Amino acid sequence: MNATLSPQLGRRPGPAYTVAAEDAPGTSARRRALAERIAAVTRAAYTGSDPLPALPPPDGSQEGAHDVERDLAAGQRLWVARDSTGSVVGALRTADGDTGREVRRVAVLPGWRGLGLAQALLAAVERAAVADGFAAIHLDAVVERCLPPLYERLGFVPVRAFRAGDKPLTEWHMRRELGVPAAPAAVPARVVAFPAMSVPVTPLPAMPVPAVSAPVRATSAPTPTPTAATTRTPTPAPAPTPAPVAPGPGLFLCWFVCRKQLLVTVRRAPHAAAALAQSAPVLPTGAALAGVDLLPGATPDEAGALLRHLPAGTEPAGADLHVVGRPRTDVLFHVLPRSFDPRLMSLTRHAPGRELPLAVPGPTENE
């Protein structure tokens, strides 16, 4: 399966490329050369790719040719995007299982981002999966790396959240049913969106707040270059065994940005949508959603312990809203909450510059 593609309408202009599944070459030397090139592209794609600072290095940033060869020897399939000269500019791998075709190691060279390569690679995987009789493709996306909203826009639906076992991170297992449109035909202009739970916020008080609903598409904006984190260094905690966790009830940390400052509320709620609905009335005009974290099963008495992880200088703005007063990239408790409390789970993160605006009634600066 081989297709020549040009950049999609609405994307920045760029050269054509081809996308195809590739079998390992016949000779060991050629297999090794291909594995080395795929590993190099993967390292380049993952190194420095995090939109927030101070996160553990992505596994893909340390990819070696032996990792690629091992995966191919185990039966994984390689999908490659090449430019007009035949050079590899993007790749991913797939593995087949009882629940569908799993997508792994999606990688696009930095200079080729914004041309639709990742979407083209996934579309090729989807077409082949349909032909092979699979009902779905699926993948795992790290929340703190702001990946679930990206895959939601490509039609993947969050299924379950779990804590990573080897790093203080949270992941969503996401699934795309084959034959389903990649995105809704129409999305409300102003929404609050996060994995597996979405709620329209105009008018927020009059609308029911569902525990689970269809994902929605977020509007995008240029992502600024993050600065180094400057808050206190947390005490490392041992990583627990990964286990699926239901998204509530418990204490929810709802993070917002307004005028480049980070704001946070702590809410006891049955699910994240309810926590956001509770937070809306105390937010200033212009606030946008940056993320939501969950401490499952926590009692209201534990809210104070969570707030103590915020950096010095954090001030209350009324009974329910706290103004951190710093850019979110400088607040390590927001960037990597599980390094402060391993029980925490990050349910959603939106990259800096891509926070979701909230069309909710809120107090003005003078109120």
Side-chain angles (χ1 to χ4, degrees):
M1 181 177 296
N2 190 313
T4 300
L5 301 164
S6 294
Q8 297 184 16
L9 189 64
R11 297 185 182 273
R12 66 180 177 85
Y17 50 87
T18 61
V19 173
E22 295 195 8
D23 296 324
T27 66
S28 58
R30 291 182 62 194
R31 284 198 300 272
R32 182 69 179 184
L34 177 61
E36 288 175 348
R37 179 56 184 163
I38 297 299
V41 168
T42 304
R43 289 194 303 272
Y46 280 76
T47 300
S49 63
D50 287 331
L52 291 167
L55 295 175
D59 292 339
S61 67
Q62 304 169 42
E63 189 87 338
H66 61 282
D67 297 309
V68 179
E69 291 180 306
R70 178 202 60 214
D71 289 347
L72 297 180
Q76 293 188 28
R77 195 175 187 186
L78 181 63
W79 300 79
V80 177
R82 294 182 180 272
D83 66 11
S84 58
T85 70
S87 296
V88 178
V89 294
L92 61 78
R93 277 158 262 174
T94 60
D96 294 347
D98 295 337
T99 59
R101 181 160 285 172
E102 181 182 3
V103 177
R104 301 176 177 178
R105 286 290 192 270
V106 181
V108 174
L109 285 178
W112 284 77
R113 292 172 185 162
L115 299 176
L117 264 73
Q119 188 171 356
L121 284 163
L122 289 168
V125 169
E126 179 175 343
R127 289 191 297 270
V130 170
D132 293 339
F134 285 96
I137 57 177
H138 58 94
L139 51 79
D140 294 332
V142 177
V143 177
E144 290 84 352
R145 304 195 197 281
C146 307
L147 293 176
L150 183 156
Y151 286 110
E152 280 188 295
R153 293 195 292 273
L154 297 177
F156 285 83
V157 177
V159 175
R160 66 179 184 275
F162 62 94
R163 300 180 182 94
D166 59 339
K167 299 180 181 70
L169 301 172
T170 311
E171 299 185 51
W172 276 97
H173 182 72
M174 307 184 73
R175 182 178 175 91
R176 169 141 169 73
E177 300 297 330
L178 300 180
V180 177
V187 175
R190 298 286 187 175
V191 295
V192 171
F194 42 99
M197 290 163 287
S198 304
V199 55
V201 293
T202 308
L204 185 62
M207 299 194 70
V209 182
V212 177
S213 64
V216 297
R217 185 184 303 175
T219 56
S220 63
T223 302
T225 302
T227 58
T230 58
T231 57
R232 67 190 76 170
T233 302
T235 302
T241 302
V245 179
L251 285 177
F252 290 86
L253 286 161
C254 301
W255 301 94
F256 307 91
V257 292
C258 188
R259 299 173 185 86
K260 298 183 179 181
Q261 292 186 328
L262 187 65
L263 316 174
V264 63
T265 65
V266 181
R267 298 291 184 177
R268 170 77 176 174
H271 47 71
L276 285 175
Q278 294 171 18
S279 300
V282 303
L283 295 176
T285 301
L289 178 66
V292 178
D293 299 328
L294 166 66
L295 186 61
T299 66
D301 294 339
E302 295 184 78
L306 288 177
L307 291 172
R308 283 195 290 273
H309 295 309
L310 293 169
T314 298
E315 297 181 355
D320 302 307
L321 181 67
H322 299 268
V323 180
V324 182
R326 300 186 187 184
R328 55 185 294 210
T329 52
D330 292 348
V331 181
L332 194 56
F333 182 46
H334 167 68
V335 172
L336 198 60
R338 282 198 59 217
S339 63
F340 290 80
D341 189 330
R343 299 174 299 162
L344 278 166
M345 300 183 68
S346 294
L347 294 185
T348 190
R349 281 295 182 278
H350 297 282
R354 296 176 181 263
E355 296 92 351
L356 293 180
L358 306 180
V360 296
T364 64
E365 286 184 284
N366 297 325
E367 292 178 346

